[in-house]
Amino acid sequence: MVRKFTDDRPAIILGIETSCDDTGCGIVDTTGKILGEALNSQHSTHLKHGGIIPTFASILHRQQITTVCEDALRSADLRLRDIDAVATTTKPGLPLSLAVGNTFGKYLSRIGNKPYIPIHHMEAHAVTVRMVHKVDFPYLVLLVSGGHSLLAIVENIDKFYLLGTALDNPPGEVLDKIARRLKLANIPEFSRMSGGQAVENAASKATDPNRFFFEPILTKKRNCQFSFAGLLSTASMYINKEEKEFNIEGGALIPNAYDLCAAVQVVLIKHICLRTQRAMEFINSTNLMSQEKRTLVISGGVACNNSLAKALELVCSKMGFKFIRTPAQWCNDNGVMIAWNGAERWIANTGIIRDRDEIESVTVEKKAPFGESWIERVENANIKCKLVKLKEF
């Protein structure tokens, strides 16, 4: 049930997101209606520097956050007095970036005399889908992005069971580095894309996807852990080899760049699918979810990859799971997902801080655990898993 006030209206939550390089503000109510939003992306700026520079990102957040929040309120035709609570990402993320959002969020809470709701960034990604689709607890979630890669059971808004996570580089970071090393941004049609988008689009133009061989990843490890560092090192080895062989210099691309992108995408997708299938096998073997509730939700920037989504949808159909992808506009970092997590917490009456001294004492965290670890429990289950046959992508 949605908690309502004496004037019989849903609560309105303002959310602030500054965990990395996007300054976002979203305003939603507890029915899931998006009332207003604004976002300032630093992507093109950081692209020129070859990656995110934390101190620079922090400066840009400070320059933009007031305008972004004002724009969100204006788009909702609301003022701060109309807001019932302020929700802000406080963990995990870049500390300097998080601090900007936390400081501004506490400022709005103080001057408006509003409750404050600190938000775990990955928990917000995990439940955003419930704003637009009817997804009942519990469900399986796969979060794949530039900062994270994990599989977890979402028991409720406050309880998560972690089945597997990245042992090294997250997939989005690997795709960005491979795209940068391949100099895909020098091709006009890819110049404004993220690394992952560029690799996906380049892969679709491949003429020989089997030109480069990559060893399958962790196929003998019976767990749900992810590893992408080997993929990055192998891709770098091939790029170095081709640059020497074809005498590539300056901003020129290796002649087989598209084929390499296709090979990278295939091995990455198969690895993610195998880990996800094992998580499903674990859930099915332990009856953690009733058959009618077995659902896989995917979110995060890499979840926007259509080839990955198609492959995971096929795995779901074979494993008896419903497949739901968080809408693309909410897969990447944004203020709306933070506001919705605050709304869910308002409904459940959990994680809301009303005491002023307690609000002022809220700090940010660079790293933060995601729920209760069931990684060892999955390993002990020793589940043998053969990846379902995937169509070409």
Side-chain angles (χ1 to χ4, degrees):
M1 286 291 291
V2 173
R3 297 175 67 236
K4 295 189 177 182
F5 293 91
T6 54
D7 59 359
D8 199 36
R9 67 169 178 83
I12 298 173
I13 312 297
L14 181 147
I16 296 172
E17 159 61 22
T18 62
S19 66
C20 190
D21 62 336
D22 288 321
T23 312
C25 182
I27 303 170
V28 305
D29 68 21
T30 44
T31 69
K33 183 178 180 181
I34 300 169
L35 305 175
E37 60 174 307
L39 181 73
N40 180 75
S41 174
Q42 302 174 10
H43 172 71
S44 58
T45 303
H46 292 295
L47 197 62
K48 298 173 185 174
H49 295 86
I52 297 169
I53 302 172
T55 52
F56 196 22
S58 174
I59 292 169
L60 293 175
H61 281 308
R62 287 199 301 273
Q63 290 175 348
Q64 295 294 330
I65 194 164
T66 299
T67 300
V68 166
C69 288
E70 286 176 347
D71 287 348
L73 284 164
R74 191 177 300 112
S75 71
D77 195 22
L78 296 171
R79 296 187 179 184
L80 184 58
R81 65 169 177 257
D82 303 312
I83 303 299
D84 294 298
V86 177
T88 307
T89 306
T90 59
K91 60 184 178 183
L94 300 176
L96 293 174
S97 293
L98 288 169
V100 175
N102 187 43
T103 299
F104 195 76
K106 290 194 291 187
Y107 165 73
L108 293 182
S109 168
R110 183 169 61 253
I111 65 172
N113 194 27
K114 307 296 182 183
Y116 194 58
I117 311 175
I119 301 296
H120 188 299
H121 183 79
M122 300 312 295
E123 290 180 6
H125 270 307
V127 301
T128 301
V129 70
R130 284 168 45 87
M131 183 179 68
V132 288
H133 293 290
K134 180 175 170 50
V135 182
D136 294 327
F137 297 125
Y139 56 88
L140 175 65
V141 68
L142 167 68
L143 302 182
V144 275
S145 69
H148 306 274
S149 183
L150 61 86
L151 279 159
I153 295 169
V154 184
E155 182 69 23
N156 57 50
I157 192 63
D158 239 0
K159 187 174 287 187
F160 303 81
Y161 303 121
L162 182 66
L163 305 182
T165 189
L167 296 170
D168 40 55
N169 310 61
E173 178 193 314
V174 166
L175 291 173
D176 285 346
K177 287 181 175 178
I178 290 174
R180 195 177 305 132
R181 185 67 186 82
L182 281 170
K183 296 168 280 192
L184 294 181
N186 292 348
I187 300 176
E189 67 177 297
F190 302 147
S191 62
R192 300 187 67 83
M193 294 181 181
S194 69
Q197 288 175 312
V199 169
E200 180 183 9
N201 280 270
S204 69
K205 301 175 184 296
T207 55
D208 183 6
N210 299 312
R211 183 185 300 273
F212 299 96
F213 174 75
F214 286 79
E215 288 284 349
I217 304 170
L218 298 181
T219 51
K220 294 182 181 179
K221 297 289 184 179
R222 295 183 183 180
N223 56 39
C224 292
Q225 301 286 71
F226 297 94
S227 175
F228 299 98
L231 174 60
L232 176 59
S233 61
T234 302
S236 298
M237 179 269 292
Y238 279 130
I239 295 169
N240 290 336
K241 183 179 178 182
E242 291 245 319
E243 285 180 338
K244 289 180 180 178
E245 182 178 344
F246 295 98
N247 196 27
I248 302 298
E249 295 180 352
L253 276 69
I254 60 173
N256 300 309
Y258 293 172
D259 289 343
L260 181 61
C261 287
V264 164
Q265 182 160 271
V266 167
V267 72
L268 181 140
I269 288 174
K270 285 185 175 180
H271 178 49
I272 292 174
C273 284
L274 182 61
R275 281 10 223 171
T276 305
Q277 184 180 330
R278 181 172 281 106
M280 293 175 178
E281 298 271 16
F282 175 73
I283 288 168
N284 290 350
S285 66
T286 51
N287 291 314
L288 291 168
M289 299 176 193
S290 59
Q291 264 190 324
E292 64 274 9
K293 279 195 174 185
R294 289 174 188 171
T295 300
L296 170 70
V297 169
I298 67 169
S299 190
V302 179
C304 294
N305 185 299
N306 290 320
S307 297
L308 173 62
K310 288 175 184 176
L312 285 168
E313 194 167 10
L314 182 59
V315 172
C316 283
S317 68
K318 298 292 185 181
M319 296 297 299
F321 274 66
K322 184 179 180 181
F323 174 82
I324 298 179
R325 176 160 60 159
T326 303
Q329 66 266 40
W330 312 129
C331 276
N332 291 300
D333 297 350
N334 60 86
V336 168
M337 75 177 197
I338 304 305
W340 174 246
N341 193 265
E344 288 251 33
R345 289 185 169 279
W346 187 275
I347 295 167
N349 194 26
T350 182
I352 305 164
I353 306 175
R354 292 183 168 84
D355 179 79
R356 180 52 48 195
D357 290 338
E358 191 177 347
I359 290 173
E360 295 302 331
S361 69
V362 173
T363 57
V364 302
E365 299 175 46
K366 179 180 180 180
K367 295 182 179 179
F370 183 83
E372 177 185 342
S373 177
W374 277 16
I375 293 172
E376 189 175 345
R377 184 172 171 178
V378 174
E379 289 179 340
N380 290 339
N382 196 33
I383 297 170
K384 188 176 181 179
C385 185
K386 183 179 180 181
L387 181 62
V388 301
K389 189 171 179 60
L390 300 174
K391 298 175 183 176
E392 291 298 319
F393 38 77

